[in-house]
Amino acid sequence: MVTDRPDINQVLSQMREMKAQVHAPGSSMPGVSKIGGEQGDAVGRADFSDMLKDAVNNVNSLQQDAKSLAQSYERGDAGVDLPQVMIGLQKSSISFEAMTQVRNKLVDAYEKIMNMPI
C-alpha cells in the first residue's frame, strides 16, 4: 500500500549530502554573495531580500504540494496514502508558522528601530 514514502536512512543521507555541499569549499548558496579578494579570503554575505523571497517561495511551494496531495487523496489516487497527506499538511503548517514568527520578529525590530532616539 505504501510505495512512494522515502526511507528515513535515505532522507538522512540526502540531508548529509546537502550539508556537505553547503560547507564544501567553492560552493555557493542561493542568496549569498562572496566578498573579498581572489586569494580565498572571501567572506559570504547574505542578501536578506533574496533569502526572504526564497523562504516565502519555499513556504508557498510546500502549501501547494500539500494541497495537491490532499486533492489526490480525495480523488482516490492509488499512489497517495493518508500518512503522506498528513505529513505534507504538517510540513506546510509548520513552515507557515515559522514564516509568521519571522515576520513578527521583523516587524518588532522595525518598530524598535523607528522608536530609537536620534
Side-chain angles (χ1 to χ4, degrees):
M1 182 170 145
V2 178
T3 58
D4 292 334
R5 284 197 296 177
D7 181 32
I8 188 68
N9 292 325
Q10 182 182 17
V11 173
L12 287 172
S13 68
Q14 288 175 351
M15 290 172 64
R16 288 184 185 116
E17 287 173 14
M18 285 189 269
K19 181 180 176 184
Q21 289 174 357
V22 169
H23 295 296
S27 68
S28 64
M29 292 173 38
V32 177
S33 58
K34 298 286 184 180
I35 299 174
E38 297 174 12
Q39 265 50 16
D41 59 338
V43 176
R45 185 180 93 199
D47 186 6
F48 184 74
S49 63
D50 287 343
M51 290 176 65
L52 189 61
K53 189 186 314 180
D54 290 342
V56 170
N57 289 337
N58 186 29
V59 170
N60 185 39
S61 173
L62 285 172
Q63 288 181 335
Q64 289 181 357
D65 290 345
K67 181 180 177 182
S68 174
L69 279 172
Q71 288 174 344
S72 295
Y73 181 76
E74 290 169 358
R75 283 192 304 265
D77 290 349
V80 180
D81 58 347
L82 185 60
Q84 188 179 9
V85 173
M86 296 304 293
I87 289 171
L89 290 170
Q90 284 298 313
K91 281 182 183 180
S92 71
S93 175
I94 290 170
S95 65
F96 184 76
E97 288 177 25
M99 181 59 62
T100 303
Q101 291 298 321
V102 169
R103 186 223 37 204
N104 292 343
K105 291 292 183 181
L106 284 172
V107 170
D108 185 44
Y110 177 77
E111 288 174 351
K112 285 181 182 178
I113 290 171
M114 293 305 293
N115 291 330
M116 284 183 176
I118 295 178

